[in-house]
């Protein structure tokens, strides 16, 4: 069960705390299909273990995760027919065509798995650092608590750079707030960890060199809470959020996400399901750094305006 390629699984505190790490640092922990499958296996392994009370989700290297893998050699080999094609591209809609294929694949591996982790029967803590952009937000938001290095930044750039209405698990309004979500999605700007803390998205901020140790101590403290109380606290909050419309909103926004993909696939001769430079977005590979959201300026850099 420890034969993972892109994640690691470590037990702490006599097995009461598990640390799951995204472990693809050379690709900045970009989420290729095998990584996502292994992450789900690791999460379910921790959920099944009655000794485990708290799960920490972090990432090795310079950043927590750079989001979806949009085209590394590993990702291309996983996707295309051949000896290295991942089995998930032959199941769960992988053998279908067009919008049906994309919808089913994204539902299984980007959307429903994230919602499953949100409802894991353990307390989960996301430990984030570096740049947390786009699909990395989904992994982070699936956790009950988020702790962060002080210099972390957060953004979803897919609107400004790919012409998409956010990522598949659209928790943005619940995490950023309504108007802040619109601003960040329309501009592609980022917020820093202090602002994320002020918004209530982040629980703790620590220097990068203290992040791992303090997260583990925080997890050990939470692990002392009786498991029944922990579960019902989590379930009470999650059910409250769902009764406020969260569950239905996620479903609706996932459908809108698929319509957005289908639009681009229909208008492009190459059927690529995201905006091209000709549609008014920059080349996402050469778009430059993400700029911070600045309260008293139109843009952080004047030349952007």
């Amino acid at each position: 069960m420890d034969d993972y390629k892109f994640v690691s699984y470590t037990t702490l505190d006599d097995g009461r705390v598990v640390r799951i790490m995204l472990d693809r640092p050379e690709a900045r922990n970009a989420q290729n299909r095998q990584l996502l499958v292994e992450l789900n296996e690791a999460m379910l392994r921790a959920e099944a273990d009655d000794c485990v009370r708290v799960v920490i989700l972090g990432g090795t290297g310079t950043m927590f995760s750079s989001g979806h893998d949009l085209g590394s050699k590993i990702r291309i080999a996983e996707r295309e027919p051949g000896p290295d094609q991942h089995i998930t591209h032959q199941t769960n809609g992988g053998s279908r065509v067009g919008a049906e294929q994309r919808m089913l694949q994204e539902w299984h591996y980007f959307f429903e798995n994230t919602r499953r982790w949100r409802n894991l029967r353990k307390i989960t803590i996301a430990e984030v650092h570096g740049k947390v952009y786009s699909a990395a937000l989904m992994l982070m938001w699936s956790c009950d608590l988020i702790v962060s290095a002080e210099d972390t930044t957060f953004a979803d750039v897919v609107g400004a750079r790919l012409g998409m209405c956010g990522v598949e698990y659209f928790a943005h309004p619940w995490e950023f707030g309504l108007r802040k979500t619109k601003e960040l999605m329309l501009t592609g700007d980022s917020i820093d960890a202090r602002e994320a803390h002020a918004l209530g998205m982040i629980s703790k901020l620590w220097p990068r060199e203290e992040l791992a140790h303090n997260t583990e101590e925080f997890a050990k403290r939470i692990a002392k809470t009786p498991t029944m109380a922990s579960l019902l606290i989590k379930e009470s909050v999650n059910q409250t959020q769902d009764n406020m419309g969260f569950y239905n909103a996620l479903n609706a926004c996932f459908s809108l996400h698929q319509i957005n993909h289908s639009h681009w696939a229909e208008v492009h001769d190459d059927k690529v399901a995201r905006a091209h430079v000709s549609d008014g977005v920059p080349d996402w590979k050469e778009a430059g750094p993400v700029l911070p959201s600045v309260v008293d300026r139109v843009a952080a850099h004047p030349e952007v305006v």
Side-chain angles (χ1 to χ4, degrees):
M1 292 185 71
D2 290 312
D3 190 23
Y4 300 122
K5 185 175 181 180
F6 296 121
V7 304
S8 63
Y9 188 103
T10 307
T11 57
L12 309 166
D13 196 30
D14 296 323
R16 300 199 303 174
V17 175
V18 164
R19 174 180 282 281
I20 298 172
M21 298 292 284
L22 310 179
D23 193 19
R24 198 184 171 205
E26 74 287 351
R28 300 182 300 170
N29 296 321
Q31 299 163 34
N32 62 305
R33 185 61 58 83
Q34 183 64 29
L35 181 147
L36 290 171
V37 168
E38 289 181 359
L39 176 57
N40 187 57
E41 291 173 354
M43 286 287 206
L44 296 182
R45 173 183 173 184
E47 185 174 49
D49 187 341
D50 285 347
C51 185
V52 176
R53 297 185 173 204
V54 180
V55 177
I56 299 169
L57 174 61
T60 61
T62 59
M63 59 194 301
F64 171 65
S65 172
S66 58
H68 289 320
D69 186 336
L70 296 181
S72 71
K73 291 182 179 179
I74 288 175
R75 179 68 192 117
I76 293 171
E78 285 181 333
R79 185 178 63 234
E80 301 301 324
D84 296 322
Q85 186 182 52
H86 199 273
I87 185 60
T88 59
H89 283 283
Q90 303 167 26
T91 58
N92 288 326
S95 64
R96 306 286 172 82
V97 296
E100 181 184 14
Q101 180 193 69
R102 184 169 50 250
M103 180 182 70
L104 287 170
Q105 289 273 289
E106 292 198 353
W107 190 90
H108 281 284
Y109 300 108
F110 297 159
F111 178 65
E112 185 61 16
N113 58 351
T114 308
R115 187 156 59 185
R116 184 183 309 119
W117 303 329
R118 180 250 187 180
N119 292 316
L120 204 77
R121 303 292 83 182
K122 310 287 180 173
I123 301 302
T124 53
I125 303 173
E127 175 193 279
V128 299
H129 67 285
K131 297 175 175 63
V132 182
Y133 292 168
S134 300
L137 296 171
M138 301 198 304
L139 301 189
M140 178 185 77
W141 286 339
S142 73
C143 294
D144 300 307
L145 300 167
I146 303 169
V147 299
S148 172
E150 292 175 332
D151 58 354
T152 307
T153 56
F154 307 88
D156 189 352
V157 301
V158 301
R161 300 192 178 194
L162 299 179
M164 293 298 300
C165 58
V167 289
E168 295 79 6
Y169 182 89
F170 195 79
H172 306 55
W174 307 84
E175 300 287 352
F176 291 139
L178 300 177
R179 287 180 176 81
K180 197 66 178 179
T181 294
K182 292 176 182 178
E183 175 201 340
L184 297 180
M185 290 300 307
L186 291 167
T187 64
D189 287 349
S190 67
I191 60 172
D192 62 22
R194 290 289 171 186
E195 184 170 359
H197 182 267
L199 290 171
M201 191 174 82
I202 304 297
S203 294
K204 303 289 184 181
L205 293 175
W206 291 307
R208 176 72 179 94
E209 62 273 14
E210 299 175 11
L211 179 62
H213 172 76
N214 287 346
T215 303
E216 291 172 10
E217 292 303 305
F218 190 41
K220 291 174 185 177
R221 178 186 175 191
I222 292 170
K224 294 177 182 178
T225 304
T227 54
M228 188 60 171
S230 293
L231 177 61
L232 293 184
I233 289 167
K234 172 172 182 160
E235 190 64 8
S236 295
V237 175
N238 282 6
Q239 286 197 24
T240 297
Q241 188 181 30
D242 286 342
N243 283 321
M244 294 167 65
F246 183 65
Y247 180 88
N248 288 334
L250 286 181
N251 286 329
C253 292
F254 178 74
S255 297
L256 293 173
H257 183 91
Q258 297 308 312
I259 292 173
N260 203 162
H261 272 315
S262 295
H263 166 74
W264 293 124
E266 183 173 341
V267 301
H268 294 148
D269 291 339
D270 61 8
K271 304 303 180 184
V272 172
R274 59 177 181 264
H276 292 7
V277 173
S278 59
D279 300 308
V281 298
D283 183 340
W284 65 272
K285 294 180 181 179
E286 301 175 359
V290 175
L291 300 176
S293 171
V294 182
V295 69
D296 60 350
R297 278 182 274 170
V298 173
H301 292 172
E303 59 268 25
V304 173
V305 179

